[in-house]
Amino acid sequence: MTSPSVRSLVAKTALVGLLAALGGLAPSASAATAPGLAVSPDHRTLVRDDGTPFFYLGDTAWELFHRLNREEATKYLDNRAAKGFTVIQAVALAEIDGLNTPNPYGHTPLIDNDPARPGIEPGPDNDYWDHVDWIIDAANQRGLTIGLLPTWGDKWNLKWGVGPVVFTPENAEYYGEWLGHRYHEKGLIWILGGDRPIEEPGHAEIVRAMARGILRGDGRAHLLTFHPMGGQGSAQYFHDEDWLDFNMRQNGHDTSFTESYATTLTDYQRTPTKPIMDGEPIYEDHPVSFKPKENGHSVAADVRRPLYWGLFSGAFGHTYGHHSIWQMWQPGRDPINFPLMPWYEALDQPGSGQMQYGRWLLESRPSESRIPDDSVIVTDAIESAVPGAGRYRLKATRDAEGAWAMVYTPSGRPFAVDLGKLSGDEVEAWWFNPRDGSAEAIGTFPSEGQRQFVPPAPGEMLDWVLVLDDASKGYPPPGTRRD
């Protein structure tokens, strides 16, 4: 049963929203253009309410609610919608002193840093949560779903040595219920957790309590997942729990096919079956392995590789991030770990625009029966050459019935494939360019035996996708957009 105090807050929330709308302070509260989402019948991916596949292409904007005003948020959301993103991951109680440093309108989220006392004040546009409402509505109107983190971990900014511990299981459940009530009609996905050790005493119980509150508050209207520490996955802690709808990994800020990236396939193979994706790989322009002086910063090729490694390992989607954008850094703000440029300049870094090509590639082929299958690649006598190792690891995926197959190679090296994995009498082959989304026809071959393919251009940073189709299917060029 909902507590009287929560019902009171819900009523006050409705009044604030009405006044804001009457004052022209927010876009319409309708989330009609952001799809309702569910787990697919085979538990491998997400689908819209009408049953069509939903491609989760996320962007990491942790400080969106806390640091951007409405004009800036509009600029950001317009850019991401134009680049084919479908989910924006942002934190309600933000990481960088989000409790005590006000948002651009001078408001903080909690009264006395108490999660049981969200800072709601009567009247239009006068509290922190009005601004969160506005941004979520603006995103939904652009067809973007918000991946909403209620908080960044159970503690506050211990990494930077400021702030108290604010959460207990009791107030976490209350706060979750309040959020669930407030946002049950919005277009969003709940992402619990944050980059904090789940092994710390009480942390897992706080997560479970917040999940219970959210479920009670929004009536199971939205999907729930969990964002873990680097190199970990939600499946390690919560895989068998009913509230966890799909698994999320944080494969981390390295540039090689490490054990973390390989573990996406491990989570794909777990039972009971649940969808899996990488919610935080290396960001573009991020210090590699957090060591800028030793390793420098990542480049677009470094963020493309995890996109295809993840998708071809069975992931149903992927999240991009930029090191300046997650923290919304700009001159005048203390930088975290050497950002290279202000967030508004980083919007058009090449990697962000190239993420959509992975989406269009998979959406140009029937995906309902897609499986990971590296046996498409004919292994060399030297395993570290083919399928490769480190940042040169090849990955393959295909239709379970053999209608099509794809092989991602991070470099321009020749490699061989087993054409017998394809159905039909002939295979139509293509090269797909992950850097610009173009496709080039190679030719048609008998669907039998092994055949070597040589990428159109050599180069250690020139990645390619070999696309093999059952020629009888008549598929369009790879990457053809359905819209």
Side-chain angles (χ1 to χ4, degrees), residues 335-356:
I336 296 173
N337 211 2
F338 306 102
L340 297 180
M341 63 194 74
W343 68 268
Y344 42 82
E345 293 181 8
L347 287 173
D348 293 316
Q349 282 294 88
S352 67
Q354 292 165 350
M355 294 296 103
Q356 63 186 308

Side-chain angles (χ1 to χ4, degrees), residues 428-432 438-445 477-478:
E428 187 174 18
W430 308 78
W431 285 115
F432 177 80
S438 64
E440 174 185 339
I442 302 172
T444 303
F445 311 97

Side-chain angles (χ1 to χ4, degrees), residues 3 17 25 82 86 96 153 166 169 187 210 238 248 290-291 298 308 316 326 347 351 355-356 359 364 381 410 426 446:
S3 67
L25 297 161
T86 59
I96 306 175
V166 297
M210 196 173 293
F238 305 113
M248 178 176 283
F290 296 92
K291 296 179 179 179
S298 63
Y308 293 93
F316 69 90
W326 78 259
L347 287 173
M355 294 296 103
Q356 63 186 308
R359 173 188 174 186
S364 69
E426 292 185 316

Side-chain angles (χ1 to χ4, degrees), residues 89-104:
Q89 297 175 187
V91 188
L93 306 184
E95 180 177 15
I96 306 175
D97 198 29
L99 294 184
N100 302 307
T101 299
N103 71 8

Side-chain angles (χ1 to χ4, degrees), residues 107-172:
H107 304 294
T108 55
L110 306 176
I111 297 171
D112 296 331
N113 286 347
D114 183 356
R117 301 174 66 198
I120 303 173
E121 305 165 27
D125 189 37
N126 64 349
D127 73 60
Y128 181 92
W129 298 99
D130 286 341
H131 188 49
V132 175
D133 297 347
W134 192 95
I135 291 176
I136 292 176
D137 288 338
N140 289 168
Q141 289 178 341
R142 290 159 174 77
L144 297 167
T145 297
I146 292 290
L148 182 58
L149 281 74
T151 183
W152 194 251
D154 72 307
K155 296 186 176 179
W156 210 254
N157 282 341
L158 296 187
K159 185 175 181 181
W160 290 281
V162 296
V165 175
V166 297
F167 277 107
T168 66
E170 292 74 24
N171 63 30

Side-chain angles (χ1 to χ4, degrees), residues 224-284:
L224 278 83
T225 189
F226 175 82
H227 179 283
M229 288 280 290
Q232 298 181 352
S234 59
Q236 295 170 240
Y237 306 102
F238 305 113
H239 183 77
D240 293 327
E241 301 190 22
D242 291 341
W243 62 265
L244 187 80
D245 292 307
F246 65 90
N247 280 309
M248 178 176 283
R249 298 196 56 80
Q250 184 189 163
N251 282 335
H253 297 277
D254 194 3
T255 58
S256 294
F257 190 78
T258 61
E259 292 182 0
S260 295
Y261 287 106
T263 307
T264 295
L265 180 59
T266 301
D267 286 349
Y268 175 90
Q269 294 170 333
R270 290 179 187 264
T271 55
T273 301
K274 289 188 176 182
I276 174 66
M277 63 163 293
D278 188 347
E280 188 176 333
I282 188 167
Y283 298 152
E284 191 167 10

